[in-house]
Amino acid sequence: MEALDAIEREVDGAFAPVRDEHELRATHARFLGKEGSLTLIMRRMPELAPAEKKTFGQAVNRVKTAVESASEAAEVRVKQAALARELDREPTDVTMPGRRPRVGRQHPLHRVLYDVTDIFVSMGFDVAEGPESDWETNNFERLGFPADHPALDMQDTFFLHNEGRPGPRALLRTHTSTVQIRELLSHPPPVMIVAPGTVFRCDDDATHSPMFAQIEGLVVDEGISLAHLRGTLATFAQRLFGKDVTTRMRGSYFPFTEPSVELDASCSLCGGRDPHCRLCKGSGWLEVAGAGMVDPVVLSNCGIDPEKYTGFAFGLGIDRLAMIRYQVPSIELLYSNDERFLRSL
Ligand SMILES: [Zn+2]
């Protein structure tokens, strides 16, 4: 009992100088560790007579509680001191500017797609949309593609499994012209629509991507002529590239228009004055659209009288327009999602 009393008197003095966690653990062990003074005394319990055990046990518990509470108090003190030291070392500067959250923005392709759509809507066009997978008939036959047209080849078109069912095959549309067919089948003229959307082809190189965006336009009414087409596309080019841009039409061929034309815009970068221009390669012209008068066969295929109605159609590649607008040399940059490039536009 005397030894116990001696230990109890030591406790407070032992924990008082403790300054860190290491010292705290060592001091705690001095009393209650494997070789601690209190532990050693408790091991001698069996030597006592049963009557003495109770008194001794109570005394041991009293001293043990004193050790634990002194230890806990020291621990709180040590932790507060550590926190104070940390705050001293790295003072909080409440005037420091906050971290600005990073805000996303439209991809350049979407920006061009929306701007282009806006221009046509301002001219009175409606926006029409259709499914990205469609019937082969809407994608080719009704548009007057001959059965041996190379675009029908498996290499150019992603056909979807038909699971042995008879009837037309389904595919991923190779152009947004499918929307024109759907519009002509469902609405009597006058029709005046643009159809923006994603299209798919088995193509993958520096200037082609297997998935790309198009916007097509279709106007069908009485008395529509090539002059309307020319005026529409010239106005469009000036709105998108600037009012100094001039346009020219060249003869071309598409299965569903007759006659067919390509529309070029004068180079918005050099204006045709730089023989080494990286945008127009010195030609002074940029291909902007494929277009033409809707082939009467297409109108007949959709139940519209080609003797009464005429129309024009055009198609614009959104990637192509984005490459011209932002002077991007490779289509890959537009699809590889390199943030450094996208932020530079
Ligand atoms: Zn140029």
Side-chain angles (χ1 to χ4, degrees), residues 267-274 277-282 284-286:
C267 178
S268 52
L269 184 59
C270 74
R273 285 180 294 273
D274 179 2
C277 175
R278 64 196 161 98
L279 197 55
C280 68
K281 308 276 185 291
W285 294 99
L286 302 164

Side-chain angles (χ1 to χ4, degrees), residues 132-137 139-140 154 157-163 165-173:
E132 290 179 354
S133 59
D134 209 325
W135 301 115
E136 188 178 11
T137 43
N139 198 81
F140 293 124
M154 293 296 286
T157 308
F158 292 106
F159 282 97
L160 301 172
H161 282 296
N162 228 12
E163 288 164 10
R165 272 179 289 132
R169 284 193 292 178
L171 45 71
L172 293 179
R173 63 183 180 191

Side-chain angles (χ1 to χ4, degrees), residues 257-278:
T257 47
E258 183 58 40
S260 301
V261 295
E262 299 262 3
L263 185 103
D264 297 340
S266 58
C267 178
S268 52
L269 184 59
C270 74
R273 285 180 294 273
D274 179 2
H276 305 293
C277 175
R278 64 196 161 98

Side-chain angles (χ1 to χ4, degrees), residues 110 113-114 117 121 125-134 138 173 175-187 191-199 213-218:
H110 277 113
L113 186 63
Y114 292 141
T117 307
V121 167
F125 283 78
D126 285 327
V127 176
E129 286 179 306
E132 290 179 354
S133 59
D134 209 325
N138 286 346
R173 63 183 180 191
H175 44 211
T176 41
S177 313
T178 49
V179 183
Q180 300 187 22
I181 294 298
R182 284 169 172 273
E183 283 294 310
L184 289 177
L185 288 170
S186 58
H187 296 88
V191 167
M192 192 173 176
I193 54 144
V194 281
T198 308
V199 300
Q214 266 190 346
I215 185 165
E216 290 197 347
L218 174 69

Side-chain angles (χ1 to χ4, degrees), residues 64-176:
K64 202 173 164 186
T65 307
V67 171
E68 293 295 3
S69 60
S71 174
E72 275 162 32
E75 188 180 356
V76 170
R77 214 175 55 236
V78 162
K79 280 191 175 157
Q80 277 172 350
L83 183 64
R85 274 199 303 278
E86 183 127 332
L87 290 175
D88 248 6
R89 199 164 48 237
E90 285 181 54
T92 306
D93 179 359
V94 293
T95 66
M96 227 162 81
R99 270 188 209 129
R100 196 175 285 278
R102 276 150 59 100
V103 179
R105 54 166 139 178
Q106 277 181 342
H107 191 280
L109 287 174
H110 277 113
R111 231 180 301 158
V112 170
L113 186 63
Y114 292 141
D115 288 352
V116 167
T117 307
D118 270 356
I119 292 171
F120 285 112
V121 167
S122 77
M123 288 195 255
F125 283 78
D126 285 327
V127 176
E129 286 179 306
E132 290 179 354
S133 59
D134 209 325
W135 301 115
E136 188 178 11
T137 43
N138 286 346
N139 198 81
F140 293 124
E141 284 169 42
R142 289 200 169 102
L143 286 161
F145 275 82
D148 59 352
H149 193 276
L152 273 75
D153 202 296
M154 293 296 286
Q155 287 184 338
D156 294 315
T157 308
F158 292 106
F159 282 97
L160 301 172
H161 282 296
N162 228 12
E163 288 164 10
R165 272 179 289 132
R169 284 193 292 178
L171 45 71
L172 293 179
R173 63 183 180 191
T174 61
H175 44 211
T176 41

